[in-house]
Amino acid sequence: MVHTVFPVGPGDKVLVHAAAGGTGSLICQVANNAGAYVIGTTSTEEKAVKAKACGADEVILYSHQDFVQEVNRITGGTGVNVIYDGVGKETFYKGFQCLKKLGTMVLYGYASGIPESLDPFILSNGNGSHTLSHPKIVDYVATPEELSRRANAVFDWITEGKIKMEDFTTFKLSEAKKAFDLLEGRKTTGKLFLKP
């Protein structure tokens, strides 16, 4: 998402919702390594600490602050180049209010539910001329060669210490419902694993 869906580079401003979650924490690290200024949202102070440790330059506690107002304050009203949204319903439409002109909205998850149907005119409202992406990994990793190239890049980043993969919670397969409930309730950080 950070290198292909929207190629993040130095000076870009990035908003990552659920910045302490499994995917959000990785996006923060990769975007930070690409030279972006990373703004993350989390629900608690504990998760804010995690997001900062993963490369977020600023963290907004969306449970106490309006993330649109805060992003616009942080960016001096210019907004962000890209939003990575794994939350969905609660954040999706509001995000367009802090997206820079020609900015990209990347919707990849639905922790709070699926957003209402999209009115395409929202892409040209406000700052306007936005791009929306709803990426699927099978489209970006369509061949064995592409999978190998992308996987090797991630493993190289881990080996070089550019990204950390330290926050794992393991559940027995029989506890899958408990793991899902924690994800749905946004009570997790890092990655969850189900073990047979």
Side-chain angles (χ1 to χ4, degrees):
M1 287 189 281
V2 177
H3 287 278
T4 309
V5 176
F6 180 91
V8 171
D12 284 336
K13 292 181 178 73
V14 172
L15 176 62
V16 182
H17 288 301
T23 304
S25 62
L26 287 174
I27 292 172
C28 286
Q29 292 178 75
V30 176
N32 181 280
N33 290 336
Y37 188 84
V38 180
I39 304 166
T41 66
T42 66
S43 59
T44 66
E45 288 285 353
E46 177 187 30
K47 288 182 177 185
V49 170
K50 162 91 168 130
K52 283 254 188 191
C54 290
D57 295 288
E58 301 256 2
V59 180
I60 299 165
L61 295 178
Y62 68 82
S63 54
H64 298 89
Q65 301 165 294
D66 181 281
F67 79 85
V68 171
Q69 288 178 356
E70 287 301 302
V71 167
N72 287 324
R73 179 190 62 77
I74 292 165
T75 64
T78 62
V80 292
N81 300 87
V82 61
I83 298 173
Y84 294 101
D85 189 344
V87 175
K89 189 174 186 174
E90 286 183 15
T91 53
F92 178 69
Y93 279 105
K94 283 184 70 175
F96 288 101
Q97 298 172 34
C98 60
L99 193 57
K100 194 176 211 174
K101 182 177 181 179
L102 305 178
T104 299
M105 172 73 74
V106 182
L107 178 64
Y108 69 89
Y110 310 110
S112 69
I114 297 172
E116 301 296 322
S117 295
L118 176 71
D119 175 353
F121 289 105
I122 196 167
L123 300 175
S124 62
N125 284 342
N127 289 330
S129 298
H130 299 132
T131 300
L132 171 63
S133 181
H134 190 266
K136 294 186 304 185
I137 194 164
V138 297
D139 294 328
Y140 287 89
V141 185
T143 66
E145 294 79 22
E146 185 67 18
L147 173 61
S148 178
R149 185 179 72 76
R150 290 184 185 273
N152 285 333
V154 172
F155 289 125
D156 287 346
W157 295 334
I158 293 169
T159 302
E160 294 165 7
K162 291 182 178 177
I163 61 171
K164 296 180 179 110
M165 302 283 290
E166 300 169 346
D167 195 1
F168 300 102
T169 304
T170 305
F171 292 90
K172 295 177 186 173
L173 188 56
S174 61
E175 297 177 306
K177 177 159 179 12
K178 179 180 178 183
F180 180 78
D181 289 344
L182 287 172
L183 280 171
E184 193 175 53
R186 295 190 236 163
K187 305 232 186 280
T188 63
T189 60
K191 293 287 186 188
L192 299 186
F193 287 100
L194 295 177
K195 185 177 178 179

